[in-house]
Amino acid sequence: QVQLVESGGGLVQPGGSLRLSCAASGSILSINFMGWYRQAPGKQREWVAAVTSGGNTNYADSVKGRFTISRDNAKNTVYLRMNSLKPDDTAVYYCNAAIVVSGSRLPTSYWGQGTQVTVSS
């Protein structure tokens, strides 16, 4: 019914940059917040950043000043620009969105399949 498809992960050297994208498709009436989480090997999934439909943003302290989240409402797409990457940023990054689908009045949480980001020299 609804799919979130991420792209843009890969291998990058410390200090480098990457931009992740996540596009939502399906029977979408509206999208409330959109955000990114990440999960490193052996660790719990953690929240990274979020953006509301109005463009308000929030970040985890560990990425503040280095990562920028943005969204294109016309394309139902959220982006995560990651600068000054560190080895500790290595993780699978997941897109998450609260979406109101056709025939529903309340938002449902949807997840993407994840994209691997590896920061290593």
Side-chain angles (χ1 to χ4, degrees), residues 5-21:
V5 179
E6 297 129 335
S7 60
L11 173 63
V12 64
Q13 292 186 340
S17 298
L18 281 175
R19 190 180 82 153
L20 306 182
S21 300

Side-chain angles (χ1 to χ4, degrees), residues 34-52:
M34 302 184 81
W36 292 92
Y37 288 72
R38 66 186 182 185
Q39 187 166 20
K43 294 187 178 182
Q44 289 188 331
R45 189 174 298 189
E46 63 174 358
W47 171 74
V48 174
V51 57
T52 67

Side-chain angles (χ1 to χ4, degrees), residues 13-69:
Q13 292 186 340
S17 298
L18 281 175
R19 190 180 82 153
L20 306 182
S21 300
C22 171
S25 62
S27 302
I28 298 171
L29 288 182
S30 64
I31 303 178
N32 296 353
F33 76 85
M34 302 184 81
W36 292 92
Y37 288 72
R38 66 186 182 185
Q39 187 166 20
K43 294 187 178 182
Q44 289 188 331
R45 189 174 298 189
E46 63 174 358
W47 171 74
V48 174
V51 57
T52 67
S53 57
N56 294 316
T57 59
N58 277 292
Y59 299 92
D61 287 343
S62 59
V63 306
K64 200 171 293 185
R66 299 188 298 122
F67 291 10
T68 301
I69 189 170

Side-chain angles (χ1 to χ4, degrees):
Q1 193 173 18
V2 171
Q3 278 192 318
L4 298 182
V5 179
E6 297 129 335
S7 60
L11 173 63
V12 64
Q13 292 186 340
S17 298
L18 281 175
R19 190 180 82 153
L20 306 182
S21 300
C22 171
S25 62
S27 302
I28 298 171
L29 288 182
S30 64
I31 303 178
N32 296 353
F33 76 85
M34 302 184 81
W36 292 92
Y37 288 72
R38 66 186 182 185
Q39 187 166 20
K43 294 187 178 182
Q44 289 188 331
R45 189 174 298 189
E46 63 174 358
W47 171 74
V48 174
V51 57
T52 67
S53 57
N56 294 316
T57 59
N58 277 292
Y59 299 92
D61 287 343
S62 59
V63 306
K64 200 171 293 185
R66 299 188 298 122
F67 291 10
T68 301
I69 189 170
S70 60
R71 64 189 280 175
D72 185 332
N73 290 330
K75 296 181 179 179
N76 290 335
T77 298
V78 62
Y79 307 95
L80 186 68
R81 175 69 179 181
M82 304 183 293
N83 295 329
S84 303
L85 282 162
K86 308 173 182 178
D88 283 350
D89 295 318
T90 296
V92 178
Y93 284 70
Y94 296 91
C95 173
N96 175 247
I99 299 175
V100 181
V101 300
S102 178
S104 176
R105 291 184 297 170
L106 297 175
T108 300
S109 180
Y110 291 89
W111 292 88
Q113 80 286 354
T115 184
Q116 177 69 47
V117 172
T118 303
V119 184
S120 175
S121 55

